[in-house]
């Protein structure tokens, strides 16, 4: 489902801490999110939330996200200029 | 280890089939690779190869990659303009 980037920005505080305020991360081991495919981002957030993909930081963070949060975050970051 | 993008391009045939010749994928569920963080890309390829991350297409493809292939592919795609 297409998300709302403005609503996504409102819940992106925890994300930008690692992935950067413009979606370009400050650590070479953390992915840039700006301009990434929205559906791909949503798939990864759901995988981290539901256990299909594991990461010590992403898994607990994703657990707190609703489906709407996930679609809105995906819309927000995919809309940023890479 | 920093890879060689030219050597990476030489083994990127199977990758570009899905991720696109310029590293911008043609399917919204497959990630763009162009301009992504190199070390992150290498971590994901190693995770697919070694089982830390699973995907029906990526896992078998990554099994065939050497460490040099992985570092070279990461250098190649991270160097493409997003």
């Amino acid at each position: 489902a297409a998300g709302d980037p403005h609503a996504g920005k409102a819940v992106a505080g925890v994300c930008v801490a690692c992935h950067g305020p413009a979606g370009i991360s400050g650590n070479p081991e953390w992915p840039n999110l700006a301009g990434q495919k929205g559906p791909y981002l949503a798939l990864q957030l759901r995988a981290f939330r539901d256990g299909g993909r594991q990461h010590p930081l992403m898994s607990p963070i994703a657990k707190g996200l609703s489906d709407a949060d996930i679609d809105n975050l995906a819309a927000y970051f995919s809309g940023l200029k890479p």
Side-chain angles (χ1 to χ4, degrees), chain A:
Chain A
D4 167 4
H6 299 292
K9 184 171 185 174
V11 295
V14 63
C15 316
V16 299
C18 295
H19 293 288
I24 303 296
S25 87
N27 180 315
E29 295 197 350
W30 303 339
N32 298 325
L33 302 182
Q36 183 55 277
K37 292 283 198 282
Y40 171 75
L41 289 175
L43 277 171
Q44 299 315 303
L45 284 174
R46 286 193 166 85
F48 281 127
R49 183 185 65 185
D50 306 337
R53 186 176 171 185
Q54 276 106 30
H55 184 277
L57 282 175
M58 284 305 297
S59 298
I61 288 170
K63 290 277 184 304
L65 298 175
S66 68
D67 279 325
D69 289 337
I70 285 176
D71 292 332
N72 296 337
L73 284 166
Y76 173 62
F77 282 107
S78 61
L80 296 179
K81 199 183 155 326

